[in-house]
Amino acid sequence: MNHSKTAASQKDPFNRQNYEIRTLEDEIRADNHCKALLQHFHAYLLNDMAMPPLEAGSMASGADYYLRDYMIDHRRCNIFEISAELVHSFAGNWYIINTIEPNMGELESVLIGIRHFYRFCVEKELVTKTVAAEISQSCGQTEYYQQRIESFNAISGDGYIAWNKACPLRNRG
């Protein structure tokens, strides 16, 4: 591959390799590519899916929170190396312990954004339909996540250990 093709692929937010994170520079690069990809996602929601601007913005914002704060910043992993387990761990644990007032309204908005983002990724051939379906199923477990929020808010004494064990954060998904 010649230098100009390599340089072009390094600027392509649809290039899966641009989301590999081994160093701080990689993390910054992945975050910047993710911002650009989310702009494409937002435009797709507005133009291709004909969503109203507020709905499209809410979905893009939800996906942004999950991708940039959880996948890139917290986990430091490729946003396309996704699994239902990662979404489950995010919604059932990470979101709850990293949010001042975790609530199902906010979490559900994020989950809708995640679901639509990975459907968008299927159309762009970045993930398979099977993966997107598994992500969608995990995003739909709202009763479980509501129970997790309620049980977190009810923790007393050393109850956190048992709460965390029921849906632990994983090192790798």
Side-chain angles (χ1 to χ4, degrees):
M1 179 181 284
N2 68 35
H3 181 68
S4 63
K5 284 185 181 178
T6 301
S9 70
Q10 290 175 347
K11 294 180 181 180
D12 179 7
F14 295 96
N15 183 338
R16 291 174 60 104
Q17 293 178 340
N18 287 333
Y19 298 90
E20 294 296 326
I21 300 172
R22 291 181 197 81
T23 66
L24 179 59
E25 284 181 1
D26 292 342
E27 183 177 343
I28 293 167
R29 183 194 68 245
D31 186 72
N32 286 328
H33 283 296
C34 191
K35 284 186 221 174
L37 184 60
L38 286 162
Q39 290 173 341
H40 286 280
F41 172 57
H42 185 252
Y44 163 83
L45 294 173
L46 290 170
N47 302 324
D48 297 8
M49 301 302 291
M51 284 189 184
L54 285 176
E55 186 178 352
S58 177
M59 285 189 193
S61 178
D64 176 71
Y65 179 65
Y66 175 76
L67 296 169
R68 295 179 58 224
D69 289 8
Y70 180 66
M71 291 292 287
I72 293 173
D73 184 46
H74 172 71
R75 295 192 48 82
R76 296 183 55 126
C77 68
N78 190 316
I79 63 172
F80 302 116
E81 293 176 5
I82 183 69
S83 69
E85 176 80 23
L86 285 172
V87 173
H88 185 75
S89 188
F90 163 81
N93 190 314
W94 190 87
Y95 164 81
I96 297 167
I97 63 174
N98 287 285
T99 303
I100 293 173
E101 292 185 34
N103 65 82
M104 204 53 226
E106 179 181 58
L107 179 56
E108 194 163 17
S109 178
V110 172
L111 293 169
I112 290 167
I114 294 167
R115 176 183 286 143
H116 281 273
F117 177 78
Y118 283 102
R119 287 179 183 162
F120 164 77
C121 288
V122 168
E123 290 198 21
K124 301 300 179 186
E125 299 179 354
L126 297 166
V127 299
T128 66
K129 286 181 181 180
T130 301
V131 167
E134 291 169 358
I135 299 307
S136 183
Q137 183 178 14
S138 190
C139 287
Q141 297 176 348
T142 55
E143 288 179 18
Y144 173 75
Y145 302 134
Q146 177 66 44
Q147 178 273 323
R148 292 285 295 161
I149 290 171
E150 290 170 4
S151 63
F152 178 77
N153 289 332
I155 291 174
S156 63
D158 63 355
Y160 178 79
I161 295 169
W163 180 87
N164 188 58
K165 191 174 182 181
C167 181
L169 289 174
R170 306 276 187 224
N171 289 334
R172 281 287 169 199

